[in-house]
Amino acid sequence: MDPTDRESACFEAGIKFGALYHQFAGTPVSPRNAASLGAAIEESIENQPFCEAVTVEILTDELEAELADAPAEYTELTGRFMEVEIVVDREGVGVTARMEMDDGYPRMRVDSVSE
């Protein structure tokens, strides 16, 4: 059985999150470069098929707290330092998906589906 348009659109959102997280996790980040890194992530993922919009908020308050007593001026980007929204449209089905921390884990989930 072929997947439905809804299933295909949700799958596309998952693909975008997989690419985003595994491409950028581990990237050096500091409060100084957080905005430019967030913009670069957005632009990179928006290049993918069916992607309508990507919003990446790198949480500078979290970064500053992490770096308060650190010997370095940067840390590695992980899910706990960002909140992400991805919007895809495939065959007229729109999916909005989000990544936020959930009990210490960067949870990626479908927020809404519209036809």
Side-chain angles (χ1 to χ4, degrees), residues 100-109:
E100 301 169 319
M101 292 303 288
D102 182 11
D103 198 25
Y105 182 79
R107 167 107 37 207
M108 300 165 201
R109 63 178 168 76

Side-chain angles (χ1 to χ4, degrees), residues 10-30:
C10 288
F11 177 79
E12 287 296 336
I15 291 296
K16 306 313 176 241
F17 268 119
L20 183 150
Y21 197 87
H22 294 290
Q23 180 176 354
F24 292 100
T27 300
V29 64
S30 71

Side-chain angles (χ1 to χ4, degrees), residues 88-101:
V88 300
D89 187 307
R90 173 147 186 179
E91 305 300 327
V93 178
V95 172
T96 300
R98 297 183 189 283
M99 182 181 76
E100 301 169 319
M101 292 303 288

Side-chain angles (χ1 to χ4, degrees), residues 28-77:
V29 64
S30 71
R32 187 173 40 88
N33 78 333
S36 63
L37 179 57
I41 294 169
E42 291 170 355
E43 291 178 22
S44 174
I45 301 305
E46 286 175 351
N47 284 319
Q48 294 186 26
F50 311 111
C51 193
E52 294 292 314
V54 179
T55 304
V56 175
E57 180 183 354
I58 297 183
L59 306 172
T60 54
D61 289 345
E62 297 289 330
L63 287 174
E64 289 170 353
E66 173 78 8
L67 295 170
D69 297 321
E73 295 181 15
Y74 72 94
T75 189
E76 294 180 356
L77 185 64

